[in-house]
Amino acid sequence: VALQTASLSTDSIIITSFQRAPFCCHEDLVTMPRSELVQVAQNINGRLPKALQIACGDDVEDADIRGAIEVL
């Protein structure tokens, strides 16, 4: 699984690869408890450049974490 992201500041394309999909599907994300949702976000963040990382702190709502994951 790979993500392709355009970087306007460097006029380049960033390819981020994962050894396996960090989640199955939308329904999987919707039914995950917060701890698993945060773990998915942290796993994704471990592969993303800082500017693209998903906020998943205690002050971030589950729906916002889920939405940020789905945008990717």
Side-chain angles (χ1 to χ4, degrees), residues 18-57:
F18 298 92
Q19 291 183 345
R20 64 180 189 85
F23 61 95
C24 168
C25 54
H26 171 75
E27 290 78 15
D28 192 24
L29 289 174
V30 169
T31 60
M32 276 184 190
R34 181 180 176 83
S35 60
E36 288 182 35
L37 196 59
V38 169
Q39 185 176 23
V40 167
Q42 289 173 337
N43 288 340
I44 293 171
N45 285 346
R47 304 287 298 166
L48 290 176
K50 185 125 180 113
L52 299 176
Q53 291 189 359
I54 299 165
C56 58

